[in-house]
Amino acid sequence: MDELSRQMRTAVASPPPTRIDVDRLIADDRQRRRHRAWALAGAGAAVAVAAVAVAPALLARPVPQPGGLTLPPAAAGSAEPSLCPIAEPSASGPPAPQQSYDTVRERSTERPDAGVARLTQALRPALAAVVPAGLTVEGTIPGCDRVQFVYEKSHWNYYAHVRLVRDGQTDNLTVRLIPTAADEPRGCATAPSAGACTSTRLPDGSTLTTSISTPGDEGAEQRRVLVQRVDGTSVTVTTDNFRVVVEPDGTPSEKFGPSPVLSVAQLTEIATTPGLTLYP
């Protein structure tokens, strides 16, 4: 069993997460080796979320979107998307320190609640455009089934995590935006493993890196796209086929489904969405 598989098993045993964000585990390991402690935010980002209180909006009827995905519309008379309220979890100890590292550009001063609303509004139609018909998209924020970003203060990043479900198959999909570190490598040096990787320069000067990794020998597969934008935003979109199933005796068991539904090309469409930036 390689190091990634060991980390995945360790994360399964650590409550309260119920879903493993493989990309985050890989990123954590890489960042620790580079002496910048990106603490694991939780399995599949379906964890105790950051302290961003977003007022709930009144919802009109859901509006069908392209590609078979149904998303709630913005509240009537408002350009803001309909959002779920996010409560700050009860602290079990001192708050996590805010990570400090040099970035290629001065950090954005946008308020987190405004960033959550803006990025969510950009992500929902981007997902709707690529998700195949018949695929159910499930939010993972407790008490909320919608696609929505969350702000994680200690690591200066926004993330959105959903489950893609069809015919018994369940994939994870995570979209994450962070300020690009000044010492962050480019291209395939950022890939989580020595698996298949390609890196190209986009017309606007951004770097696009795509990779497919199959850690371990149990059927796990992760597809990952990283866009290092020229404006100082790093956008990572990952999908994987890993899930945790609680057995009748209460024991968690890891399962791997077929290869993820979304292709690298579809992940690239999401990652290159113009509105997914920290500098609007």
Side-chain angles (χ1 to χ4, degrees):
M1 179 70 66
D2 60 16
E3 178 63 14
L4 175 58
S5 296
R6 186 190 66 77
Q7 291 184 47
M8 289 165 64
R9 291 183 183 279
T10 300
V12 169
S14 178
T18 58
R19 185 74 54 177
I20 299 300
D21 181 353
V22 180
D23 183 66
R24 188 57 178 273
L25 290 170
I26 297 168
D28 283 345
D29 181 65
R30 186 176 71 249
Q31 297 291 27
R32 278 195 298 271
R33 293 197 303 268
R34 297 172 59 231
H35 308 288
R36 186 166 69 245
W38 289 90
L40 178 62
V47 296
V49 294
V52 181
V54 182
L58 295 177
L59 301 182
R61 291 186 303 167
V63 175
Q65 299 292 328
L69 175 61
T70 298
L71 298 173
S78 171
E80 296 293 321
S82 298
L83 300 173
C84 294
I86 300 177
E88 181 178 4
S90 300
S92 58
Q98 193 158 21
Q99 300 300 312
S100 176
Y101 63 96
D102 293 333
T103 55
V104 298
R105 180 178 176 181
E106 185 176 351
R107 299 181 191 276
S108 172
T109 58
E110 182 179 28
R111 292 194 340 267
D113 59 341
V116 165
R118 177 180 60 80
L119 293 171
T120 298
Q121 191 170 31
L123 178 60
R124 287 176 176 176
L127 273 180
V130 302
V131 170
L135 198 65
T136 300
V137 180
E138 300 178 350
T140 58
I141 298 174
C144 181
D145 61 357
R146 296 173 223 151
V147 176
Q148 181 172 324
F149 271 97
V150 170
Y151 179 67
E152 188 184 28
K153 180 180 180 181
S154 62
H155 295 104
W156 310 85
N157 78 98
Y158 294 85
Y159 68 84
H161 181 266
V162 298
R163 287 185 289 264
L164 307 177
V165 181
R166 181 173 66 183
D167 297 332
Q169 178 175 353
T170 301
D171 297 342
N172 299 301
L173 177 70
T174 302
V175 181
R176 192 180 306 276
L177 285 77
I178 66 171
T180 303
D183 62 346
E184 188 73 15
R186 294 268 169 173
C188 287
T190 65
S193 74
C197 178
T198 62
S199 182
T200 57
R201 183 67 60 88
L202 297 177
D204 68 352
S206 301
T207 301
L208 168 67
T209 303
T210 66
S211 62
I212 298 177
S213 57
T214 53
D217 56 3
E218 298 175 293
E221 180 176 345
Q222 181 198 72
R223 297 172 182 174
R224 176 179 181 269
V225 170
L226 168 65
V227 175
Q228 293 167 300
R229 296 184 182 274
V230 292
D231 69 3
T233 304
S234 287
V235 183
T236 305
V237 182
T238 59
T239 186
D240 65 73
N241 61 349
F242 179 84
R243 62 194 177 101
V244 174
V245 176
V246 178
E247 303 295 348
D249 63 358
T251 303
S253 175
E254 57 187 33
K255 303 292 184 182
F256 300 96
S259 294
V261 173
L262 296 187
S263 66
V264 167
Q266 290 169 315
L267 300 183
T268 299
E269 287 188 51
I270 298 171
T272 54
T273 300
L276 294 183
T277 174
L278 298 176
Y279 303 94

